[in-house]
Amino acid sequence: MNTNNWSWETFFEAFPIVIQGLGITAGLTFACFLFSLIFGFFWVLVRQIPIGFIRGCIIWIMEFIRSTPPLVQLFFIFYAFPMIPGIGMTLSPFTSAVLGLGIHFSTYIGEVYRSGIESVDKGQWEAAKALNFSTGKRWTKIILPQALPPTIPMLGNYLIIMFKEIPLASTIGVVGILQLAKNYGAQHFNYLEALTIVAILFLVLSYPSALLINKLEKKMNRRFDKKAPSGSRPIPDNKGAVM
């Protein structure tokens, strides 16, 4: 086989092999993103602890996670975590990837949540408190419905970024499209066509998604530009009626 020139025969031979890993790649992306969406709330909650030392430790941990390469975190969870005395828990490559990438991106998503929550007018908090809402009802009825919609475009951007980072999971044995391309290249001593297929698949999936996110962001911006001034949104009473 000629390893120096492009071969369409090799391309069409490798394509059905590489694309078999698309389900794993896509599934891992959504699993990591779902985990990061849920765990992002954890960072928001623990940062509300009214003890300066604990809050400072949480902020430091988040900064440490953000400042450490996700590849190092994947290696630690998959290779080093089982060797910690008293734990000795061996995780599958897929689970390790979900934990590693999910926790890493959850620190960024937690900041997105926090910015959305802080954008809610203080009058909304005071009104909910004056109406004697419980903590749960205050968050579900007043704060989150106003805080989360503006964050949707940013969350969409992080989904696309995460999708591009998913190939890192191949380093710990997750058999996605990149790992299958590497396997094909090793077997046939030709990586050009197989890796080109990987690049095309990422482009075909991520570029339309980026356009959709940009369109959604513009739509959200127009929506909030037309909103009434901050603090004028009606507050539901304890029975759900609008005041």
Side-chain angles (χ1 to χ4, degrees), residues 4-70:
N4 296 320
N5 299 316
W6 175 269
S7 170
W8 284 107
E9 180 182 354
T10 302
F11 179 89
F12 289 114
E13 179 184 279
F15 188 84
I17 297 174
V18 174
I19 204 172
Q20 289 177 7
L22 188 58
I24 296 295
T25 299
L28 181 58
T29 301
F30 286 108
C32 291
F33 189 64
L34 180 61
F35 182 91
S36 64
L37 287 177
I38 297 172
F39 207 73
F41 281 110
F42 167 78
W43 298 117
V44 174
L45 293 175
V46 294
R47 289 191 62 167
Q48 303 301 315
I49 296 175
I51 301 175
F53 174 75
I54 296 179
R55 189 165 59 249
C57 289
I58 295 299
I59 293 174
W60 182 87
I61 291 172
M62 293 178 68
E63 289 297 330
F64 176 80
I65 293 174
R66 281 197 291 259
S67 302
T68 308

Side-chain angles (χ1 to χ4, degrees), residues 34 42 149 163 174 194 215 218 233:
L34 180 61
F42 167 78
F163 177 61
V174 176
K215 184 177 180 180
K218 292 178 181 178
R233 176 170 174 164

Side-chain angles (χ1 to χ4, degrees), residues 74 76-79 81-83 87-100 172:
L74 286 175
F76 181 85
I77 292 174
F78 186 69
Y79 293 110
F81 188 73
M83 301 175 65
I87 299 180
M89 183 183 298
T90 301
L91 301 175
S92 68
F94 190 93
T95 302
S96 299
V98 171
L99 288 176
I172 58 173

